[in-house]
Amino acid sequence: MSKTVLSCRNLTKRYQFPVLTNLNLDLPSGRIIGLLGPNGCGKSTLLKLLSGLLVPDEGQISVCGKPRSDETNAWISYLPERTYFSGGMRVNELIAYFSDFYADFDTALARDMMANLKIDPTAKLKTLSKGTKEKVQLILVMARRARLYLLDEPIAGVDPAARDYILKTIIKSRSPEATVLITTHLIYDIEPALDDFLFMGPGGRILLSGNADEVRQQSGKTLDMLFREVFSCLGSY
């Protein structure tokens, strides 16, 4: 049985209205998991809570059996939905920055992935296309030897030709024990890479979850088809 890399108990976050309410979640190690749901259901908020960028109003988060802390935060590699680096920084400066800041960063792996995607290490971010900037940020995140990767829309702005390489990178660059939690609207593209899935509805409710292969075999439907069916019934897709 797989060990649990992440546990959430009664996780609640409110702004002017509840975003997540009493969410309970357990993620096993060594899996690639799709966190799938319509806009506004709380996916990005959940990733920010898990990464330590937000503090829950109620509930507990534990990573690898330990309550979330500075120690456990260091085991998590987080890719936000938006690029946050300064446009004046060069790619090789970002590699050096990550190498200095993260003890688990693999510089050789980062440079190899940049070369495979033909990204000029001397280029400034502001000279790169939106898709290339997102590739750079994803590579930096995946070049860490983390226990849990949190990827918020990692292929949204990437051209279709690069998506297969990026998905293969996500699979191959992590250790076998590490878990990857991915949010995306491009379910059709990401589906072949997923081991498990979570359909998240309004208020952060988990409407359906399971092993991707088993659900496809039992239902005779792809995850993309199931997603459309579930959320069309709710009037949110």
Side-chain angles (χ1 to χ4, degrees), residues 13 23 35 41 43 60 92 94 114-115 118 138 150-151 159 173 177 180 185 237:
K13 184 65 180 178
L23 176 68
L35 178 63
C41 71
K43 302 186 303 296
Q60 295 81 40
N92 52 16
L94 289 169
M114 297 283 184
K118 297 179 171 57
L138 177 62
L150 305 174
L151 310 180
D159 56 280
S173 63
E177 296 81 22
V180 182
H185 291 93
Y237 192 77

Side-chain angles (χ1 to χ4, degrees), residues 143-192:
R144 289 185 56 198
R145 299 302 185 183
R147 302 188 192 185
L148 175 63
Y149 298 88
L150 305 174
L151 310 180
D152 199 350
E153 296 288 349
I155 60 172
V158 175
D159 56 280
R163 284 177 189 162
D164 285 345
Y165 175 80
I166 288 173
L167 292 176
K168 289 175 183 176
T169 297
I170 290 171
I171 295 169
K172 291 181 179 179
S173 63
R174 69 186 178 98
S175 72
E177 296 81 22
T179 286
V180 182
L181 183 62
I182 305 174
T183 75
T184 185
H185 291 93
L186 301 171
I187 301 172
Y188 179 83
D189 293 289
I190 205 106
E191 183 169 343

Side-chain angles (χ1 to χ4, degrees), residues 42-61:
K43 302 186 303 296
S44 293
T45 295
L46 176 59
L47 264 57
K48 290 175 183 177
L49 287 165
L50 300 181
S51 66
L53 292 179
L54 292 176
V55 177
D57 295 315
E58 298 171 20
Q60 295 81 40
I61 299 170

Side-chain angles (χ1 to χ4, degrees), residues 154-232:
I155 60 172
V158 175
D159 56 280
R163 284 177 189 162
D164 285 345
Y165 175 80
I166 288 173
L167 292 176
K168 289 175 183 176
T169 297
I170 290 171
I171 295 169
K172 291 181 179 179
S173 63
R174 69 186 178 98
S175 72
E177 296 81 22
T179 286
V180 182
L181 183 62
I182 305 174
T183 75
T184 185
H185 291 93
L186 301 171
I187 301 172
Y188 179 83
D189 293 289
I190 205 106
E191 183 169 343
L194 299 181
D195 298 310
D196 305 306
F197 72 96
L198 302 161
F199 285 172
M200 179 179 279
R205 291 179 296 137
I206 303 301
L207 303 178
L208 187 66
S209 65
N211 179 284
D213 287 338
E214 290 177 0
V215 168
R216 279 190 289 261
Q217 291 171 3
Q218 292 168 4
S219 68
K221 300 173 182 177
T222 66
L223 292 184
D224 188 48
M225 292 166 63
L226 278 174
F227 182 90
R228 294 171 186 273
E229 184 177 285
V230 168
F231 289 100
S232 65

